[in-house]
Amino acid sequence: AAELTAKGVYGLPTGGRVAQGIDTARFHPKFRSEEMRAKLTGGHSEAPLLLYVGRLAREKRIQDLKPLLARFPGARLALVGTGPHEGELKELFQGSNCVFTGQLSGQELSAAFASAGVIVIPSDSGTLGFVVLEAMACILMATSISSKPFFSYLMKLNKK
């Protein structure tokens, strides 16, 4: 901390350690909720549920998820978050099996993670990836849209 302060970086906790990680008491499968699952699926809680959590921005490539819904018509997609691309995405996904929840936080966000089946990350760029770690804490499969195991998993779910 002293070295960074000497370089003009302020506000670090005493001792120089900045904790990074996921609160596994907050992100845990025990927060699975049928009520949240119904909200995320538009009332079709028995359907396979794909979850995106993050900023709704063009560089996140959320629009790349639309063909996925066409390929797996039984699946549902929940987009959790807000951002500059939100209006365009709502137009694009209109009439599809997609639910926009807006920003969720606290217990609602924990329940969203715990109630989903798969977290999808369409972006091919990113930073630290807390969303993936939060999903993993809830025992969710986390995948990019180009993942072969992900498509195999969806094929099995779609045949049920």
Side-chain angles (χ1 to χ4, degrees):
E3 182 181 339
L4 290 172
T5 302
K7 292 181 179 182
V9 178
Y10 298 97
L12 294 174
T14 307
R17 183 170 175 251
V18 178
Q20 292 188 17
I22 301 305
D23 181 352
T24 56
R26 181 175 171 199
F27 293 97
H28 192 277
K30 70 182 176 187
F31 294 109
R32 180 178 169 84
S33 156
E34 284 305 314
E35 182 181 329
M36 177 56 75
R37 193 165 168 85
K39 177 180 179 175
L40 296 172
T41 60
H44 299 273
S45 57
E46 76 291 342
L49 175 57
L50 313 175
L51 179 70
Y52 169 85
V53 176
R55 189 165 170 264
L56 304 182
R58 190 175 313 280
E59 67 272 11
K60 301 295 185 177
R61 296 181 50 196
I62 300 161
Q63 65 277 1
D64 291 353
L65 296 172
K66 179 132 191 234
L68 192 63
L69 286 180
R71 186 168 175 189
F72 301 100
R76 303 288 166 158
L77 171 65
L79 300 178
V80 175
T82 61
H85 197 45
E86 186 172 352
E88 288 177 51
L89 289 170
K90 283 182 175 178
E91 275 185 46
L92 177 69
F93 283 97
Q94 188 173 3
S96 71
N97 293 337
C98 182
V99 172
F100 288 79
T101 68
Q103 189 75 30
L104 298 180
S105 60
Q107 225 171 338
E108 275 194 311
L109 182 60
S110 298
F113 274 109
S115 302
V118 177
I119 185 95
V120 289
I121 318 281
S123 176
D124 54 6
S125 64
T127 54
L128 186 54
F130 278 113
V131 168
V132 173
L133 298 176
E134 291 162 347
M136 290 171 67
C138 292
I139 319 295
L140 270 183
M141 179 193 296
T143 186
S144 71
I145 61 169
S146 62
S147 167
K148 287 182 183 175
F150 171 63
F151 282 111
S152 296
Y153 172 76
L154 272 182
M155 293 295 272
K156 283 183 198 174
L157 289 177
N158 209 44
K159 290 179 182 175
K160 286 183 179 181

